Amino acid sequence: MLKSLQNDILHEAESKDLKVIIISAEGPVFSSGHDLRELTEEQGHDHHVEVFRICSEVMMLIRNHPVPIIAMINGLATAAGCQLVASCDIAVASDKSSFATPGVNVGLFCSTPGVALGRAVPRKVALEMLCTGEPISAQQALLHGLLSKVVPEEQLEEETMRIARKIASLSRPVMSLGKAMFYKQLTQDLGTAYHLTSQAMVDNLALGDAQEGIKAFIQKRKPTWTH
Amino acid sequence: MLKSLQNDILHEAESKDLKVIIISAEGPVFSSGHDLRELTEEQGHDHHVEVFRICSEVMMLIRNHPVPIIAMINGLATAAGCQLVASCDIAVASDKSSFATPGVNVGLFCSTPGVALGRAVPRKVALEMLCTGEPISAQQALLHGLLSKVVPEEQLEEETMRIARKIASLSRPVMSLGKAMFYKQLTQDLGTAYHLTSQAMVDNLALGDAQEGIKAFIQKRKPTWTH
Amino acid sequence: MLKSLQNDILHEAESKDLKVIIISAEGPVFSSGHDLRELTEEQGHDHHVEVFRICSEVMMLIRNHPVPIIAMINGLATAAGCQLVASCDIAVASDKSSFATPGVNVGLFCSTPGVALGRAVPRKVALEMLCTGEPISAQQALLHGLLSKVVPEEQLEEETMRIARKIASLSRPVMSLGKAMFYKQLTQDLGTAYHLTSQAMVDNLALGDAQEGIKAFIQKRKPTWTH
């Protein structure tokens, strides 16, 4: 499953025609994370190492991907499934969705999900989820920053597609430059962050699409991106 | 008071029977922090140094303790009392509780409380509290991440005990490994965080309680932890 | 405009009589950021470099200024205008205000605004704003930590002045020491943060205003600051 997800995310990643990716699921569960049958003693130490290596690779691939990746959640997202939501750039959920990191219930603390969760929500919220294994609702997830937006189930696809279409209508190289720089500066001290992003603004202005965008704005017309 | 709290927190910290700690108070004040009589000129520079040394030691002890520590707040928590709430892993409060860092009113900016507060809530919320000294309500504290949960006063003990009992029903070595790793990875860059936690997942799987938990899950029975 | 703002912020910065600064605007727009006419190809690379150099300088000046700086927002704050709000220590807005980083619409990702925004709100909220360019309401901005407070338009000045007057009634050297230390410790590891702030508490106690404040508290009278 992780390898298939990895392949799908990498598919035509460098194509100018790819502008945005949506990760969604069929049925009442968005993702419940790892199959515990893969984590028994019999599977062995090396297999365990491999499972978490590829899982972390997929989560970092989302971060490092040139286009924004949106999670569309309609149901339960637990353990590495909750990690997947927290790892996407944008997350839209139906109000019936819920989120948990229940590994403690089976004696396996959700340490890798905690990486993404702990960077998305306040630490007291993350620790209560991680230490008790109990779920939070979509509204609580929104309140605490795990989601970008919550809508009624019947509007989920419409709202997600609206955001995706908006992103797809914009310049891909501008979006790529911006997404990469956002994550890069976030962990730097303020001076370094402004040094890096000031340079990024100047580089961005040198792109054809920026000059076209500014010209179109001044001329009060729609821009035509060349990507 | 700080030494007594330190001793209580350290009491049987390594015992397999200790699963969770609750810090609570009697009366209408959870804690109002330092006694200002200890901070006068007459007490002298060396005494001031000692007071803040031991205070910081207690706050870091909570962070480094092998079991989750829950603050149960029913009333006012100010200055180092607010710092104590922010330093616990989980915090449950009654809806009549309130929180403040009022040191500026007596000419002593709450700089040490700001360490824990600034890591729990958004910086604009922290700075307004620190610069004006004004209190926030339990609901605002929940909204901004200082608390894990807010309940009516009459349910405070019940809800706190419910969370504590849930944690106490789980495997202690799994919880200890998870809590320590959560804080350790939180300040690392993403690649290092995933490297550390992937290793933690593999180490966790090698514990007897993880294999018992997974077996019990597959066999659809309750696990029996050996801790 | 940036140079004028810089001069105003630096005006009598070292005067004992300056206790707090409020940044506000006239009309329906708080600030819409850079003038795109300054960012065309014709203006040239060196001019672009200079624009973002001075912009970042102003944002860091706010951070490093000895007194708290409050943004009072009544209307739209976009791009570098939204960055200005996020860069202030405290931000109070009317409920009709809104906030956006719409650079992507003109092919110029708001990378420098993302520095301040990404340190004020959860990253999923920041990324949705940055990647779609769509606005959030004052209530959403409050919920996510971009604002300290939201009030009806007719109470905006009153509430902002109330906070400003409270800060102005306190000791300036205590406030300066506290503000500087808050930002300094925030990016350190916990041990370093407590080491720095414990020293700051001891230094703060050595100030005349701290001893006056503590004496006044014990004697149940109002303190008289000498700053």
Side-chain angles (χ1 to χ4, degrees):
Chain A
M1 182 66 190
L2 281 166
K3 281 180 187 162
S4 149
L5 189 56
Q6 191 175 37
N7 282 335
D8 287 347
I9 294 172
L10 284 171
H11 182 67
E12 306 217 351
E14 300 308 323
S15 160
K16 265 173 47 174
D17 293 333
L18 179 74
K19 303 282 171 46
V20 62
I21 292 173
I22 298 173
I23 298 178
S24 66
E26 284 178 15
V29 175
F30 174 76
S31 163
S32 54
H34 295 286
D35 182 349
L36 291 179
R37 282 170 183 78
E38 285 195 27
L39 300 177
T40 57
E41 224 163 0
E42 291 72 37
Q43 296 285 340
H45 174 270
D46 289 359
H47 183 70
H48 299 168
V49 169
E50 177 60 12
V51 165
F52 292 103
R53 192 194 58 73
I54 186 168
C55 180
S56 300
E57 215 174 274
V58 169
M59 300 301 162
M60 284 196 284
L61 173 61
I62 292 173
R63 163 75 61 99
N64 296 324
H65 199 281
V67 306
I69 299 184
I70 305 174
M72 177 172 88
I73 309 105
N74 188 23
L76 193 63
T78 63
C82 184
Q83 180 184 7
L84 181 57
V85 172
S87 297
C88 286
D89 303 306
I90 293 173
V92 187
S94 71
D95 51 13
K96 72 164 203 186
S97 302
S98 62
F99 304 85
T101 46
V104 282
N105 291 324
V106 296
L108 182 62
F109 198 97
C110 283
S111 291
T112 38
V115 172
L117 187 66
R119 283 161 177 75
V121 305
R123 59 187 67 184
K124 262 187 189 43
V125 175
L127 268 172
E128 204 218 339
M129 291 177 69
L130 291 163
C131 291
T132 67
E134 294 177 4
I136 62 169
S137 68
Q139 279 302 335
Q140 288 173 296
L142 176 69
L143 185 77
H144 296 307
L146 180 58
L147 299 174
S148 315
K149 208 157 263 190
V150 172
V151 291
E153 186 177 2
E154 61 274 18
Q155 295 168 25
L156 178 62
E157 197 165 329
E158 186 191 322
E159 176 63 13
T160 310
M161 286 305 293
R162 198 187 60 75
I163 293 172
R165 266 193 292 263
K166 175 68 200 271
I167 292 173
S169 78
L170 299 166
S171 163
R172 180 186 146 119
V174 169
M175 197 66 79
S176 293
L177 178 154
K179 173 179 166 176
M181 185 47 70
F182 178 76
Y183 287 117
K184 186 171 183 181
Q185 58 83 11
L186 206 53
T187 52
Q188 309 291 327
D189 69 272
L190 197 69
T192 307
Y194 273 125
H195 179 78
L196 288 170
T197 52
S198 294
Q199 184 59 49
M201 294 301 272
V202 173
D203 293 346
N204 190 155
L205 280 170
L207 295 175
D209 279 350
Q211 288 307 319
E212 162 61 10
I214 291 172
K215 258 180 225 149
F217 178 84
I218 292 170
Q219 296 166 5
K220 294 182 181 169
R221 60 168 175 84
K222 275 193 74 166
T224 311
W225 311 122
T226 52
H227 305 291
Chain B
M1 182 66 192
L2 281 164
K3 280 181 190 162
S4 148
L5 188 58
Q6 191 175 35
N7 282 335
D8 286 349
I9 294 172
L10 283 172
H11 182 67
E12 305 217 351
E14 298 311 322
S15 160
K16 265 173 47 173
D17 292 333
L18 180 74
K19 305 282 171 44
V20 61
I21 292 174
I22 298 173
I23 297 177
S24 66
E26 284 178 14
V29 176
F30 175 75
S31 163
S32 55
H34 295 287
D35 182 348
L36 290 180
R37 283 171 184 78
E38 285 194 28
L39 300 176
T40 58
E41 226 164 359
E42 292 71 38
Q43 295 285 339
H45 174 272
D46 289 359
H47 183 70
H48 300 168
V49 169
E50 176 60 12
V51 165
F52 292 104
R53 192 196 58 73
I54 185 168
C55 180
S56 301
E57 215 174 273
V58 169
M59 301 301 162
M60 285 196 283
L61 173 62
I62 292 173
R63 162 76 61 96
N64 296 325
H65 199 280
V67 306
I69 299 184
I70 305 174
M72 177 171 88
I73 308 105
N74 187 25
L76 193 63
T78 63
C82 185
Q83 179 184 6
L84 181 57
V85 172
S87 297
C88 287
D89 303 307
I90 293 173
V92 187
S94 71
D95 50 13
K96 71 164 205 186
S97 303
S98 63
F99 305 85
T101 46
V104 281
N105 291 324
V106 296
L108 182 63
F109 199 96
C110 283
S111 291
T112 37
V115 172
L117 187 66
R119 284 160 176 76
V121 305
R123 59 186 69 182
K124 259 182 194 46
V125 174
L127 268 172
E128 204 218 340
M129 290 177 69
L130 291 163
C131 291
T132 68
E134 293 178 5
I136 62 169
S137 68
Q139 280 302 334
Q140 286 173 298
L142 176 69
L143 184 76
H144 296 307
L146 181 57
L147 299 173
S148 314
K149 206 157 265 190
V150 172
V151 292
E153 186 178 359
E154 61 273 19
Q155 295 168 25
L156 178 62
E157 197 165 328
E158 185 190 323
E159 176 62 13
T160 310
M161 285 305 294
R162 198 187 60 73
I163 293 173
R165 266 193 292 264
K166 176 68 201 271
I167 292 173
S169 78
L170 299 166
S171 163
R172 180 186 146 119
V174 168
M175 197 65 78
S176 293
L177 178 154
K179 173 180 166 176
M181 185 47 70
F182 178 76
Y183 286 117
K184 186 171 183 181
Q185 58 82 11
L186 206 53
T187 52
Q188 310 291 328
D189 69 272
L190 198 68
T192 307
Y194 273 125
H195 178 78
L196 287 169
T197 52
S198 294
Q199 184 58 48
M201 293 302 271
V202 173
D203 293 345
N204 191 156
L205 280 170
L207 294 176
D209 279 350
Q211 287 308 319
E212 162 61 9
I214 291 171
K215 258 180 225 150
F217 178 84
I218 292 170
Q219 295 166 6
K220 295 181 182 170
R221 59 168 175 84
K222 275 193 73 168
T224 310
W225 311 121
T226 52
H227 305 291
Chain C
M1 182 65 191
L2 281 165
K3 280 180 189 162
S4 148
L5 189 57
Q6 191 175 35
N7 282 334
D8 286 347
I9 293 173
L10 283 171
H11 182 67
E12 305 217 351
E14 299 309 323
S15 159
K16 265 174 45 175
D17 292 333
L18 180 73
K19 304 281 171 45
V20 61
I21 292 173
I22 299 173
I23 297 177
S24 66
E26 284 179 16
V29 176
F30 175 75
S31 163
S32 56
H34 295 287
D35 182 348
L36 290 179
R37 283 171 184 79
E38 285 194 26
L39 300 176
T40 58
E41 225 163 359
E42 292 72 36
Q43 295 285 340
H45 174 271
D46 290 358
H47 184 70
H48 299 169
V49 169
E50 176 59 11
V51 165
F52 292 103
R53 192 194 59 73
I54 185 168
C55 180
S56 301
E57 215 174 273
V58 169
M59 301 300 162
M60 285 196 284
L61 173 61
I62 292 173
R63 163 76 61 98
N64 296 324
H65 199 280
V67 306
I69 298 183
I70 306 174
M72 177 171 87
I73 309 105
N74 188 24
L76 193 63
T78 62
C82 185
Q83 179 185 6
L84 181 57
V85 173
S87 297
C88 287
D89 302 306
I90 294 173
V92 187
S94 71
D95 51 13
K96 72 164 204 187
S97 302
S98 63
F99 304 85
T101 46
V104 282
N105 292 324
V106 295
L108 182 62
F109 199 96
C110 282
S111 291
T112 37
V115 172
L117 187 67
R119 283 160 177 75
V121 305
R123 58 186 68 183
K124 262 186 190 44
V125 175
L127 269 172
E128 203 217 340
M129 290 178 69
L130 291 163
C131 291
T132 68
E134 293 178 5
I136 62 169
S137 68
Q139 280 301 336
Q140 286 173 298
L142 176 68
L143 185 76
H144 295 307
L146 181 57
L147 298 174
S148 315
K149 207 157 263 190
V150 172
V151 292
E153 186 178 1
E154 61 274 19
Q155 294 168 24
L156 177 62
E157 199 165 325
E158 186 190 323
E159 176 63 14
T160 310
M161 286 304 294
R162 198 187 60 74
I163 293 173
R165 266 194 291 262
K166 175 69 200 271
I167 292 173
S169 78
L170 300 166
S171 163
R172 180 186 146 120
V174 169
M175 197 66 78
S176 293
L177 178 154
K179 174 179 165 177
M181 185 48 69
F182 178 76
Y183 287 118
K184 186 170 183 182
Q185 58 82 13
L186 206 53
T187 52
Q188 310 291 327
D189 69 271
L190 198 68
T192 308
Y194 273 125
H195 179 77
L196 288 169
T197 52
S198 294
Q199 184 59 50
M201 293 301 272
V202 173
D203 293 346
N204 191 155
L205 280 170
L207 294 176
D209 280 350
Q211 288 308 320
E212 162 62 9
I214 291 172
K215 258 180 225 151
F217 178 83
I218 292 171
Q219 296 166 4
K220 295 180 183 172
R221 60 168 174 85
K222 276 193 72 168
T224 309
W225 311 121
T226 52
H227 305 291

